[in-house]
């Protein structure tokens, strides 16, 4: 099934408009990050208070969150425990001690949900040392993923340049997601980091599909310029790229609107990432190879030697 047939869009000709759009998105995010002193990190990274409450009867997470929001804990994280009516409540660190917080939560919930007899099972402080460990692990995962992607793409397409260009597109996507979270004042949690890494793989998969078609066309065509080959390759895979993105986006829209507050930020990160990931595969990953080749005035790094259109 093809959404588009025999399109002839000049993606190379539109590359400067694409660069301007990317610069606008990333620039706005970087300005926001600078003004706010970095991304807004969640409890997992910054530390906070953890309270675990057990109830006599089943309590819905929606009712519990409403009570927390009404009492000034709208940014609290809720996690249900499977098999029994018990919840873990994570609240950002504040002037109140964890013991006082636990008693306040117990009292507030008991007043709003009488007959459930909440019992404090655990009350502890999650220190910043854990947050630093999670930060180091997240950065390490991103760094190793980038290195392995460069190695894989360089080996598959026999060009380190192609691997570096694919990483540029992934960095573009990651900065876009972190930037939009900063602009909207959303927290970066471990779940969001998992979403970012997932989207890095999604974006890379889209890029590999286009690169693979470019490699085949470079081998088969000896008369077309590099710009013409890149345009033809992107046009030939355009239908596949858009249909894949639409399918994933429809699923994520359901999660975003009906998945609840627990995965709301995760689904938002995935939604935005699908958009920028598909965009970067078309307007960043492929045109940047052409831009680099044109600057160097050589095609020695491409899998086949073809003339560069000046």
């Amino acid at each position: 099934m093809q959404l588009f047939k025999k399109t002839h869009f000049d993606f190379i000709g539109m590359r400067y408009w694409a660069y301007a759009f990317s610069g606008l998105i990333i620039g706005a995010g970087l300005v926001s990050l600078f003004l706010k002193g970095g991304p807004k990190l969640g409890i997992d990274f910054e530390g906070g208070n953890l309270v675990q409450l057990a109830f006599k009867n089943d309590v819905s997470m929606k009712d519990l969150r409403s009570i927390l929001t009404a009492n000034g804990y709208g940014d609290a994280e809720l996690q249900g425990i499977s098999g029994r009516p018990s919840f873990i409540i994570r609240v950002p660190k504040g002037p109140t001690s964890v013991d006082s917080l636990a008693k306040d939560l117990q009292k507030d919930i008991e007043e709003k949900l009488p007959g459930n007899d909440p019992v404090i099972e655990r009350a502890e402080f999650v220190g910043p040392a854990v947050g630093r460990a999670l930060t180091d692990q997240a950065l390490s995962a991103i760094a190793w993923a980038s290195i392995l992607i460069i190695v894989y793409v360089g080996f598959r397409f026999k060009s380190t340049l192609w691997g570096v260009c694919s990483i540029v597109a992934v960095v573009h996507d990651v900065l876009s997601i972190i930037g939009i979270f900063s602009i909207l004042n959303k927290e970066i949690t471990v779940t969001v980091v998992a979403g970012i890494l997932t989207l890095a793989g999604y974006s890379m998969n889209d890029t590999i599909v286009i690169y693979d078609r470019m490699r085949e066309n470079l081998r088969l065509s000896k008369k077309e310029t590099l710009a013409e080959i890149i345009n033809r390759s992107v046009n030939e895979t355009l239908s596949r790229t858009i249909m894949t993105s639409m399918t994933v986006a429809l699923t994520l829209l359901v999660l975003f609107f009906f998945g609840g507050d627990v995965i709301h930020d995760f689904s938002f990160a995935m939604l935005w990432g699908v958009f920028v990931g598909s965009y970067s595969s078309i307007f960043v990953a492929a045109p940047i190879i052409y831009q680099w080749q044109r600057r160097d005035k050589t095609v020695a790094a491409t899998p086949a030697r073809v003339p560069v259109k000046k």
Side-chain angles (χ1 to χ4, degrees):
M1 180 179 178
Q2 289 188 345
L3 191 63
F4 304 109
K5 293 183 179 180
K6 296 182 179 180
T7 56
H8 301 283
F9 297 114
D10 184 9
F11 294 104
I12 296 299
M14 294 185 288
R15 67 187 185 281
Y16 291 115
W17 290 101
Y19 296 160
F21 179 70
S22 296
L24 179 64
I25 293 177
I26 295 176
L30 292 177
V31 170
S32 177
L33 289 168
F34 176 77
L35 294 176
K36 296 178 180 179
K40 182 180 179 181
L41 299 176
I43 299 172
D44 299 320
F45 296 104
E46 288 289 289
N49 297 317
L50 183 150
V51 177
Q52 182 173 326
L53 295 176
F55 299 89
K56 184 178 180 180
N57 304 309
D58 290 333
V59 176
S60 72
M61 186 175 290
K62 182 179 179 181
D63 292 338
L64 196 57
R65 182 169 294 280
S66 298
I67 295 172
L68 292 172
T69 303
N71 287 277
Y73 301 109
D75 53 355
E77 295 181 8
L78 283 173
Q79 178 183 345
I81 298 179
S82 179
R84 58 195 185 97
S86 183
F87 288 89
I88 295 174
I89 304 172
R90 293 184 177 89
V91 180
K93 57 184 178 181
T96 306
S97 67
V98 63
D99 292 330
S100 298
L101 173 66
K103 292 177 181 178
D104 290 342
L105 290 175
Q106 182 186 35
K107 181 180 178 181
D108 293 335
I109 295 172
E110 192 171 10
E111 290 177 355
K112 299 291 178 63
L113 297 175
N116 285 285
D117 302 331
V119 177
I120 301 173
E121 292 186 322
R122 183 166 50 138
E124 59 189 39
F125 176 73
V126 181
V130 177
R132 284 195 296 270
L134 289 172
T135 302
D136 293 340
Q137 291 173 5
L139 293 176
S140 177
I142 293 173
W144 276 108
S146 300
I147 293 171
L148 292 174
I149 285 171
I150 292 177
V151 172
Y152 168 73
V153 176
F155 174 78
R156 178 169 178 177
F157 296 99
K158 300 179 181 179
S159 172
T160 305
L161 171 62
W162 288 40
V164 172
C165 290
S166 64
I167 288 297
V168 170
V170 172
V171 170
H172 168 280
D173 301 340
V174 172
L175 289 177
S176 298
I177 297 171
I178 296 176
I180 196 67
F181 264 67
S182 177
I183 292 172
L184 298 177
N185 203 36
K186 288 181 173 291
E187 290 185 345
I188 301 292
T189 63
V190 173
T191 306
V192 173
V193 171
I196 292 175
L197 291 175
T198 302
L199 287 164
Y202 175 86
S203 176
M204 181 57 57
N205 181 65
D206 260 0
T207 301
I208 292 297
V209 170
I210 294 175
Y211 278 5
D212 195 54
R213 185 59 59 90
M214 285 169 55
R215 179 182 61 177
E216 295 302 317
N217 289 336
L218 281 166
R219 290 175 177 174
L220 296 175
S221 178
K222 302 299 181 181
K223 296 181 180 180
E224 290 180 299
T225 64
L226 182 59
E228 292 170 342
I229 288 177
I230 292 176
N231 277 332
R232 182 156 66 89
S233 301
V234 176
N235 277 287
E236 288 174 351
T237 57
L238 184 62
S239 180
R240 178 263 175 204
T241 299
I242 293 179
M243 288 186 64
T244 302
S245 300
M246 288 176 60
T247 304
V248 177
L250 287 173
T251 304
L252 292 172
L253 280 171
V254 174
L255 291 176
F256 181 77
F257 288 108
F258 305 106
D261 295 326
V262 177
I263 60 172
H264 187 269
D265 287 348
F266 170 79
S267 55
F268 175 78
M270 293 286 287
L271 264 175
W272 180 254
V274 166
F275 166 72
V276 295
S278 302
Y279 163 83
S280 66
S281 298
I282 297 172
F283 289 102
V284 177
I288 203 172
I289 290 180
Y290 171 80
Q291 196 72 39
W292 188 282
Q293 298 290 349
R294 187 180 181 186
R295 179 180 179 181
D296 286 354
K297 297 182 179 179
T298 178
V299 290
T302 57
R305 298 183 62 88
V306 294
V308 178
K309 184 177 181 180
K310 297 183 178 180

